[in-house]
Amino acid sequence: MLHDHDFATAAVHAGERRPGPDGSVVFPIYQGTVFSSVDGERYDEIQYHRLNSTPSQLYLHDKLAELEGGQAAIATSSGMTAVTTALLSVMRAGDHLIAGDVLYGGTAGFLDHFAERLGWSYTLVDPTRPDTWEAARTASTRAFLVESITNPLVRVGKLADVADFAAEHGLVSIIDNTFASPVNFQPLATGFDLSVHSATKYLGGHSDLVAGCVIGGDELISGVRGTLNYFGGCLDPHAGFLLARGLKTLAVRVRAQNENAMALARFFESHPEVAEVHYPGLPSHPDHTEAAALMTGFGGMLSLRPAGGVDAARRFVSSVSLPYSAPSLGGVETLITRPAVTSHASLPPEQREAIGVTDDLVRISCGIESSDDLLADVKQALEVT
Ligand SMILES: *Cc1c(COP(=O)(O)O)cnc(C)c1O
């Protein structure tokens, strides 16, 4: 990470051109799609936006790579583009994938709808139980996909074991690090081969852009870039500019979000109107030990079940005044939602219950407001329930 600097310093300075074009301190948006070429250039060296090779893109890639200690990175048009392109670049027809059993809805849906037609098979495993993984492995297993913190019960698998298991068996380990963000967890240093993000969330951080990225070693990223160049999922220049801008404040934002989530989790845990709180920073969380060993912070996401059931959950969500009632996450404003009617609404009720997404579960994505204001707000809202 930017030589020996702290992450907060790296977030500001990683990948920056000093000086930038025409002496600029802020790297400009090159809105142009194409740049003058020189005779003899290889096709993928031509500076063309869809080939992910323009100056603004190369700058952003350097910045992203450095923030997670990767040799290379590529920005994509969305988090789903990052997930699907990473898989498409690694998996071949006939290959088998091992994946975590709680995946982002879009990722689970992609596997459900496309794995078979691409000739892939896959087996879902519990990332917190390494003893169950070997039974899932076949001679054609190519990759192991997990998420650093799952949604919405914020479980943290045995991530270092996933990376070790993959290395031992020659599998490509891929982690969706969206929920933890590079501030709290560094997947490549833990042994993962590829880290993917929905940059729409913490990396952008302001709920005003859709983007993704894949970070890793030169060879794998070159494969991802080659795949992306055919599928065409490049990140628009303006969104790329907003993402680079957001990255500079990543450390201060996520640290404030970690603090707010910890303060709310502690408050909920001690409140008689709350039956259950899920936050990996609480010693009561089943994965606290693992999270504390791997992560430098526990993230800005938590979930809870009010004691009064689904009606209390509805009243709670509608009685808070600061958080917006909305899905998505990672922005500077606090968001609150009931996953059963938003992110997990497409699942049949029995399946939702089976993975712990009960109708009374409330998920909070902490923003960077003052903890005191958030605490006062949730306190008055719980009194209404
Ligand atoms: C939001 C999200 C995605 C998808 O990202 P988009 O930018 O919406 O395409 C993937 N993984 C996780 C964990 C997410 O939260």
Side-chain angles (χ1 to χ4, degrees), residues 77-81 83 104 106-107 147 149 151 176-179 196-201 209-212 328-329 363:
S77 57
S78 70
M80 279 313 300
T81 310
V83 172
Y104 175 72
T107 306
E147 297 184 0
I149 302 179
N151 180 33
D176 181 332
N177 196 29
T178 301
F179 267 52
V196 304
H197 284 270
S198 167
T200 310
K201 316 293 171 53
L209 66 91
V210 172
S328 197
L329 60 133
R363 189 191 79 171

Side-chain angles (χ1 to χ4, degrees), residues 46-75:
I46 293 171
Q47 293 187 84
Y48 178 59
H49 198 80
R50 203 246 311 135
L51 295 178
N52 297 292
S53 54
T54 66
S56 305
Q57 290 170 308
L58 298 181
Y59 152 68
L60 179 60
H61 297 162
D62 286 351
K63 194 163 184 74
L64 288 165
E66 223 171 301
L67 290 183
E68 271 188 10
Q71 288 174 327
I74 181 110

Side-chain angles (χ1 to χ4, degrees), residues 30-37 41-58 61 74 225 229 232 234-235 237:
Y30 283 101
Q31 188 64 49
T33 52
V34 71
F35 292 70
S36 301
S37 60
E41 232 167 14
R42 289 206 330 262
Y43 176 69
D44 66 353
E45 282 172 351
I46 293 171
Q47 293 187 84
Y48 178 59
H49 198 80
R50 203 246 311 135
L51 295 178
N52 297 292
S53 54
T54 66
S56 305
Q57 290 170 308
L58 298 181
H61 297 162
I74 181 110
R225 181 182 158 196
N229 289 356
C234 58
L235 180 62

Side-chain angles (χ1 to χ4, degrees), residues 156-158 279-295 298:
V156 177
K158 300 270 191 271
Y279 185 62
L282 293 177
S284 59
H285 187 278
D287 308 321
H288 176 68
T289 310
E290 183 70 12
L294 287 175
M295 299 181 177
F298 300 104

